[in-house]
Amino acid sequence: MTTPLRALAQVLLGAFLVLAGTAHLTFARTEFRAQVPPWVPLDVDLVVLASGVVEICCGAALLLAWRQPPRAVAGTAVALLFVAVFPGNIAQWTEHRDAFGLTSDTSRAVRLLFQPVLVVWALWCTDAVGWWRRRRA
């Protein structure tokens, strides 16, 4: 059974991901294109569109999965998504690229500090770590 706080956190994160994924595909596509590092060996638009679809799917999974194990799997997938995009966020900082109002190295560096928070949020609100531990026991 999940606590109301965890449930709220899961819904907020799911809604955020659905919105962010929708933004990838529509109104913020140019901003997201600016975040794709030039060293990624794929078409920039393909990366933005594919990551948007993945974010929508992950967000929907959080909004729909309320029983274990699907809930833990969704939380783990979201955490892995946040880990996967972290190199792009580092590249945005080291390459001094502006996007989403992050127009200084300081603002881009502060953003990096919040990426681990998102990973922990995804794992905590879905009790993913607890579920995986119980499964192994």
Side-chain angles (χ1 to χ4, degrees):
M1 195 65 127
T2 188
T3 66
L5 182 59
R6 281 188 182 199
L8 177 62
Q10 184 174 334
V11 167
L12 289 175
L13 187 56
F16 168 77
L17 284 169
V18 169
L19 176 63
T22 302
H24 275 74
L25 306 178
T26 58
F27 61 90
R29 199 158 159 186
T30 302
E31 291 286 324
F32 282 108
R33 287 176 55 89
Q35 290 190 289
V36 178
W39 43 262
V40 171
L42 299 169
D43 177 70
V44 172
D45 210 38
L46 174 65
V47 171
V48 170
L49 293 174
S51 60
V53 169
V54 169
E55 284 188 358
I56 291 169
C57 290
C58 284
L62 287 176
L63 293 171
L64 297 172
W66 291 100
R67 295 185 187 269
Q68 299 294 15
R71 187 168 175 235
V73 172
T76 303
V78 170
L80 291 173
L81 170 65
F82 290 140
V83 170
V85 301
F86 194 58
N89 295 342
I90 292 171
Q92 184 183 4
W93 174 57
T94 60
E95 297 166 10
H96 316 287
R97 287 184 281 113
D98 297 344
F100 295 108
L102 303 174
T103 57
S104 71
D105 286 342
T106 301
S107 63
R108 290 184 284 267
V110 168
R111 176 189 183 200
L112 292 177
L113 298 175
F114 285 98
Q115 200 74 14
V117 172
L118 291 172
V119 171
V120 170
W121 182 356
L123 296 173
W124 174 79
C125 73
T126 59
D127 191 29
V129 173
W131 185 83
W132 289 108
R133 282 184 183 160
R134 288 187 299 276
R135 183 173 179 257
R136 286 192 171 176

